[in-house]
Structure formats: C-alpha cells, structure tokens
Amino acid sequence: MPSQQAIYLVSAPDQPGLVARLAGFFYSAGLNIVDAGNHTDPLAEGGPRFFMRLVVDLGGLSAPPAVAALGGSATRSALEARFAELCESLSARSSVRYSDQIPRVAILVTRDPACLYDLVLRQRAGDLPCEIPLILSNHPTLEGVAKSFEIPFYCLPVTPDTKPAQEKQLLDLCARHHVDLVVLARYMQILSEDFLSAAPPVINIHHGFLPAFQGARPYHQAHARGVKLVGATAHYATRDLDQGPIIEQDVARVDHTMGPDEMARLGRDVERVVLSRAVQAHLERRVIIEGRRTVVL
Amino acid sequence: MPSQQAIYLVSAPDQPGLVARLAGFFYSAGLNIVDAGNHTDPLAEGGPRFFMRLVVDLGGLSAPPAVAALGGSATRSALEARFAELCESLSARSSVRYSDQIPRVAILVTRDPACLYDLVLRQRAGDLPCEIPLILSNHPTLEGVAKSFEIPFYCLPVTPDTKPAQEKQLLDLCARHHVDLVVLARYMQILSEDFLSAAPPVINIHHGFLPAFQGARPYHQAHARGVKLVGATAHYATRDLDQGPIIEQDVARVDHTMGPDEMARLGRDVERVVLSRAVQAHLERRVIIEGRRTVVL
Amino acid sequence: MPSQQAIYLVSAPDQPGLVARLAGFFYSAGLNIVDAGNHTDPLAEGGPRFFMRLVVDLGGLSAPPAVAALGGSATRSALEARFAELCESLSARSSVRYSDQIPRVAILVTRDPACLYDLVLRQRAGDLPCEIPLILSNHPTLEGVAKSFEIPFYCLPVTPDTKPAQEKQLLDLCARHHVDLVVLARYMQILSEDFLSAAPPVINIHHGFLPAFQGARPYHQAHARGVKLVGATAHYATRDLDQGPIIEQDVARVDHTMGPDEMARLGRDVERVVLSRAVQAHLERRVIIEGRRTVVL
Amino acid sequence: MPSQQAIYLVSAPDQPGLVARLAGFFYSAGLNIVDAGNHTDPLAEGGPRFFMRLVVDLGGLSAPPAVAALGGSATRSALEARFAELCESLSARSSVRYSDQIPRVAILVTRDPACLYDLVLRQRAGDLPCEIPLILSNHPTLEGVAKSFEIPFYCLPVTPDTKPAQEKQLLDLCARHHVDLVVLARYMQILSEDFLSAAPPVINIHHGFLPAFQGARPYHQAHARGVKLVGATAHYATRDLDQGPIIEQDVARVDHTMGPDEMARLGRDVERVVLSRAVQAHLERRVIIEGRRTVVL
C-alpha cells in the first residue's frame, strides 16, 4: 500500500533561507519531499513574496526520526502544530491537505451539458482527484445526465423572490454533503455575496473576447465586431462579478465564415477545457490565491 | 513572362446567381479566373450580404473573345467600365487592383524596432508584395535600422502644439511617395481624425488582454491581475481609437513566473506576427471592410 | 419549412470557365447557390486540378425555370442526369448528397470512452449532422455508455482465428443499419484489407509525435525521448496502415514534468477533438480525397 | 550595484532530503537562493532521478557566515570545492556558471537570414543574455546582415574535399573567440563527429512534420501528403543526426490552399521562434541533458 501524502501550500514575505528552512523541517523529521515547487514574486503588493508547494510522503511519520523530531507524538496534528510554529516564525500563511482526504465537489448547472460531461468524465477517468456527491441545478434539463452517472441531482428552481431561500438550500445541501469546492459549470445565475461568503471556494467559467462584450448575447456582439478569437476564463467567484482571481484562460480561432452559433459552439469547447484544467489545478492543490491573482505551482 | 492579374473585391446584397453572373462575366470575355473565394453573411446589417474575391488572368485581354465582349476595345479601362455596369445591376460595391501595381507602404514607428524589422524582413523575403519607400518616426532611434535596409527615414518630432503641423508633414510625405497604405508599427502617437480622413488606409497594432486593461502600463496591470494570456489585435485605424475593423488577432500564454517585462516581451512577439499577417492580408487584397467588421477571403 | 439542399463535390482538371460553367448550370435552372468554395492545386499529380463544393437550394426545383431547364421533369434524378452531362464535358468527377439524407454513422470502440463520448455529445448537441444507429466493440466495457444514450451496442470479441468471421459480422451490421460512415474511435484492432474494400468510408484517429514512435507503448517512448508536443491525426483508413489521406491534425504541449500517463491523458484530449473535427468535416461534405491527400473546402 | 549570482544545475539519484541538503548548504553559508526549481523523474533510466536548478545571490560571499562556513576563504573556488564535496556525497552531477560570465555564442548560417535576424534582434533587445562575437558561414550571402549589426563575419566555403580543413577553421575561430555555444541557424551542412566532439555545445534547428518526411524537399513531400501542421524541433546536435536531446518544439497550422512555398514560409516562422526559445533556455541555464532527453527547469 503506498503511504499517504501531505500537500502544503505556503506563502510568506521573501527572506533568506526559506527553501532551506521549509525543506529542512521535513528532512530533519525523516519525511521525504516527493515534489516541490516555489516562486518568488518581486512585484507583489507589500513587497517581494515567496510561494511554495511541497508534497511530503508521510510514510516515515511513525519512524524514530519523526517521533524524535515531533516530541514523542508522531501524529498529523503534532506535525501540523510544529509546522505552524515554523510558519509563524516566517510570518507565513500555510495550509495542508492529505491525500486520503478526497475533495468533494458540487457541480452547479443550468441547461448546457458540455462542462458537466467534461468534469464527470475526467473524474471517472481518474484525472480529477475528487468525488462528486451531488449535482445542483435550477432547471430539470440535465437530470438524465446525472442519473446516467448515478450522481444525486437536486433541482432547485429560482426566481428573484425565492433566490435567498434557494441559495440557503444550496448551502444546506453543500454542508450536508461535506462539499469542499463548488464548480459553476454554466450555472446561469449570479450568486449573492451572502452565498459566496458562506460557501466553500467557488470556481466559475466565463466566456470572453478581445475586445470584451458586456451585456446580452455576447456571441452576437462578437460576430458583429468581427473578432478572430473566442476565449474563456476560469476564476474564483468573488463578489465582484467576473473579477475574481484568474486560474486558467484559453482561446480558439474563429473567422468570418462562422455565425454566432458556430462561435458559441467553439466557445463551449474552450470553456469546458479551461474549466476542467482550473478545477484540476485546484484539486491538485496547485493554486495559491494572493490578492487579485493566483500563483499556479 | 507571366501575364498580369486583376484582383477584384465585390460586396453585394445577397441574391440568386451572384457567383454565376460574376464568374460568367469573365468567362464570356475569355478571361480565366485563377483563384476565387466567396462568403455570404446571413446576419449582416441591412440583410444577407455576399462577398467575393476574384483573381483574373489578364493574358486573354487582347484575344478575340475579350475584344468582342468588350466592344472592340480590350483595355483595362474598358473592362472596368463593363464590370462597373454589372456591379451596378447587382447593387454591388467593387474595387480592382492589378498585379503590376505594387502597393507602396509607409511604416510609422517610434522607438521599438520589433515590428519594423518583421515587416521589412518579410518584404525582403518576398512574403509581403509591396514596396517600402519610406519610414517615418517621431524619434531618431530607429534611423540606423532604416539605413541598414537603405530605406529613407524621416524624423518628425511632435509635441501637442506641433501636432497639426507634424501630421501635415506626414501626409505630404505620404502623398509625395505615392503611399497606398500606412502601417503603425508601434507608433506611439494618436493620429487625429483629420489625419485619418485624409490619409490612405491605416493599419494599427494594439496589445490586448482578457480582461482588458485601459490606461497606463497595461502589462503591469495584467501582471497584477494574473492573466494567463497576452494578445494583440491588428485593425484599421478609425476615429474611434482601437475600435476599427479587426483584421487579425492572436495570443500567447504567460504564467505567474513572468514579470511585466517578460509579459511585454512575449506580447511584442505576438504583436509583430499579428501585424505582419494583417498587412499581408491587406496587400494580397483579401480584406473587405463591411461596417465595423472585416471579411478576410 | 426550409427547402432541401443538395451538396455537390466536384474535382476536375483545371480549365478556363469552370466556376462560371458550374455556377451557371444552377443559375440557369433557377436554383440558388447558398454556399460555394473552390480551390485549384497547381501542383496536383497529373497537372493542375480544380476542386469545388457547392451547396444548392432545391426550393426552386418545381418552379418553371427548373422545369424548362431540365426538360419537363424537374426531379432530383433529372437534375443529376443533367449535372452528370456537364461533368462529363469537363472530365470532372462529382458526387452529390441531399440534406434530407442524414448520414448514418457506426462507431467502433474498444475500452477507451473519451472519443465515443465526444462524438455522441456533439451529435446530440446538433454539431454533427448524422444519426448514430449503432456502436460496435470487441469488448463489453462501454456497453453502459451506449445504453445511457440509448444506442444499440454490439459486442463482437475477436481473436486472430475469429477475425475474418468477426469482420464479416461487422460488415453485416453496417449493411443492415445502412451505415454511410465508420468511425474508429480508439478501436484497438487493425482492420483487414478485405474489410476496408467492402466497408463504407472509414475514419481513424492515430496519435503521433515528432519524431515518430513506432511499436508498443508510444507514450513511454515519447517520454523517454523528451518530446515537447503530443499530437493526433485523423485520416481515412486505407490498406497502408496509418497512411491514408489526412483530414485533420493537432498537437498539445507537454513538458518534462509529465510522465507517460499524463502525456497519454493530454494526448486523449487532442485525439477526441481531432477526430470529432474530421468527422464533422466529412459529414458536412467538405472533404474531397485526391490521391494521398484531402482538400477540405 | 546588484550583486553577482551563481546558477547551479544538479542531477542526482533520487534520495530523501535532497532539497533540504542542497538549499541548506547555501542557507548555512548565509547565501540567499533567489530562484529554485526541481523535478524528480520516477521513470529515468537507472532509477528515479532528481534535477534541480538554483540561482544563488553571491552578495553574502564576503560576510562572516560565508567566511565561517567556507573555512576562512570565502571565494568562488572555495564555494565550488565545498559544493563539490556535497555533490559527491549525493552521487550528484553538477555545474555552475556565474552571472558575470556572459556566454559567447557563435552563429553558423548559410543563406537564410530569418533565424539569424531573430537571434541577433533578441540579443540586442536584451532577451538573450549573451554576446555574439562572430557569425560563421559557408556562403557570403549574409555578410551584409552581419555588417549591419557590426558583428565579425567569416565566410568559409566548404566542399567534400575541404570539409575537414574547413571544420578545423571553424573550431579554431570558436576557440580564438572563446565561444561557449554554437548555434546552427539554418547552417546547411552536416557537421562531422570529429567537429561535434571537439566543439562547445551545439544547438540545431530541424523542421519536422507528422508524418515525418526524409530526404530532399520535405515541404514538397508534406504538401503531396496533405499534412495540416508544419513544425520545428530545436535540439542539441549529436553524432546521430537529428536525434539529439530535444529542447523545444512547436507547430503551425497549414491547409490545402498552401503550396510548398507557403508551407516553407510558415515553417520558417516556426523555426526561428523555436530556435530562439531553445537558445534562451540554454543561456539562462535552464536545460539539463539526461541521456537522450532534456529537463528544462
């Protein structure tokens, strides 16, 4: 049986010896670092900032070196307590997740199945390390898709009047299913600030163009303007609509022979790939949010 | 000696028989169509609209069929007159240019040599069918580059006060050198409406992002926002700054390890390729402007 | 009710007046060309060759001009007979298909569901103009997927000994379901020359790299060689394995951090997109095979 | 004045504590790591292998911690000696280069100026951290280009008979100009094994396709086969022609409208970008060669 792993994400003001002290912490405890990546942003707000991701093999946790280093109690919580001390001395922020904690993802949809299929198929193929305990929607359209994958489906219609109550239901379902991440897979509703502040992290997919088109029917506007590219942006949802930290972006070429429908179809292809890549990066614990931007390690 | 060609661009309200009547016109005159492309936009403003590009071999212009079809005077102007009659009957707009009329391009620059080099090297390699009789600048920086290619260089510094006079000089130089196209290859000045209405067509290169960043130091803004793509758009310059019909766009991927300078460097790579592709499409007579968009045939 | 359309594909030795005569044929019959594209390949084997695709609105087929032009019998077969005469006079090869003839596609699979899902989802979304009357496999793995889309699934296991009999069954099933196109969506068997000569057109997807890797476990070979791109090629299957006319190709970037499994995963993403694009081009009647190459109009 | 940096490349059999011990070495000497990247390849020949790149600020080299750690002699050579001891204890291979050692690059060309211009312009723009002390060619064609950048140009024609002598001259010129890297920027000669074993590292650019075409006129072959992509590969030159470790690859789309000349033109665009990216990665000391592959950190 392969041993468990811990994945650490650390962010700290840049200072000498950060890699050595973080790596040395695990080395002196006899724990092997199986993957590591770091980056220093010299232009971060508030001064140069250091980011690091460490994947640590916990196989040695019950061996003598770890027991000695952790003061006789070689448990995850003892390790966490000691690592917290180190981080405090570095003014670092950190988080940790263990490989036996499989993230639980709620997918919110409306009518369009493309992103939903892409996410579920990648999860089933083993590419997205998560469970999908439920699919939520404001429309019944995609119930059959959920059923074909044997995933519980909840249809919660919404009107302006019922929105607060419906969002309360969404939150309750997420809580009851211990959801760690909410993915808006073409969920055609704007979530309230109240929802976002109470919910787990939320990843959204947003189509986009150069130049940008706001308001209704963006593909018709883009066609009228003759753009040569359609794009999509996956970002964390924040109260500033479509302004949250960007995780992933991509584009596809279009030309004058394509009407708005074909542009929308190509746009959907980009959307689902971009959304799946962003969800994968989040689930693999590669994303650190820093202010309005992300570092994807 | 290969015979000369005529390149026609036609735009007309869609109607039955357009391809047959346009192609038939040349066929009945014994002139061979060596290349043709057409497109119908069902969503054009004012109703479905037809666009066609025809490349016609003029080798048969002095042969009996052409002489007969054109009423005894098989000249370019006779051909133009007859074709104008056909276009009038179709409510079509059209233009024609001949392969022995080499377009003359003025390149406007400031300090950045990347786009200038790219354009001149492609022209020298035979990829851009044009002559470059002069390079214009508001700074002396690139005089050496112009000199190394033996292209006349005019430095016309500009201040807010001298702008009208300087633009007048630019127009005079373009007129004196019989310029057919002005290319803004990172010319860091906004051209006035007066200039644009008096000048030949003007192609500009504009960097761009998703989301878009206006104002100063866009690469610093893009870095602060954590975008994953940098892009560029080549468009005809119109009085609505950066809003003219788009000819070509492209992007390159960036990531969190790149500072604003590296993003700017990658952006420059995109800019020069996009600008050169747009200029090439224009010079090959592939671009029809229709309202705020282009059809690139 | 929108009227039916006929889609013509024509290939002929290049000669003056081809566009005019082909377009004129329909114009004089009062039939409107709603879309057309043509291309001349000056380097074709056997001399310059002309290719054209015409989409013709059949709405006028029962109107007086068509009746007159077709000699009193304005039927599809009368139109076909007259068009055949024209083609003969031009030494042209041609084919026609009508928009009310929905192509019927058999999908052959083994164990990998990615391409199968992509094809079926695009067909259900209306992007692939076809019916999918059956899915054929040499393994039972994907029966559930077929079932979730309510498509009949036939499992025909194969061994070297039973191969001729199994291929006979495949052909019988294709014939019984009136299949127009066979798509090998990661069908992990080599089809015999006998099968290919008796079957409808067959499109295959092949992964590929620069440099190319033959034999077993190509992703392991590609990893060992440190390639930076993985690719895929969709082509018509011919008796020269993987040497048939190419319809579509694409690549994705990989880097040294990816093991063979991740390269294979990214490769699968490329494969399914390339295969779907190729099938779509074929179904929209955009592909003309000319010797060892295709022209995609 | 910014302090100097040392860039280390390390490769070692994977073992616990590698990051900690390598980073700890510099930390304990009071030297700050300003950038670091590492990667473990679990599938390397000979067992899992660890790769790391460290950029170390040498500003602290004369401060007490370094003096103490290095035994009283805080010089580069003392640092090198101690680091060599560490590497020996880890069975690691390593190399170091200092930021005040500007690599010197010889560019070899024949007639095609595209790659040459791209390299020189990027070097002049500050994107390639190197000097270019000479350009070597077997043809006089590009002498004017070298002159316009004021770079010495040596024309050394070559025939089968004079090849050994000419290669000897090339080597002598490289030695006399203290060349660290040879770049074959479309140098249309095959270098002998003798040359390659005596020369500094050599980077070559190779065009390529899927499927691959060997022998003469590859673009004509690719056109005849109807490929949809043209590509290029930059690799270290080894005695197995075109089989050396790959540094960078990319492709561009082509279609049936392009003849061999246009495909070659697009191919040239890919070639120069791929070559420049590979040279940049080498000059920034990001490339570790490991057997037949590279790790680009």
Side-chain angles (χ1 to χ4, degrees), chain A residues 121-122 265 269 272 280, chain C residues 122 265 269 272 280:
Chain A
L121 290 173
R122 286 177 199 270
R265 183 209 301 167
D269 275 3
R272 65 189 176 125
Q280 183 172 356
Chain C
R122 286 178 199 270
R265 182 208 304 167
D269 274 4
R272 65 188 175 126
Q280 182 171 356

Side-chain angles (χ1 to χ4, degrees), chain A residues 39 42 56 59 63 66 84 93 144 154 163 238 244 251-252 255 281 291:
Chain A
H39 168 64
V56 175
R93 284 197 290 272
Y154 297 86
K163 185 160 180 167
T238 56
V251 295
D255 65 33

Side-chain angles (χ1 to χ4, degrees), chain B residues 22-33:
Chain B
L22 289 163
F25 171 85
F26 297 104
Y27 181 51
S28 65
L31 301 176
N32 199 12
I33 297 171

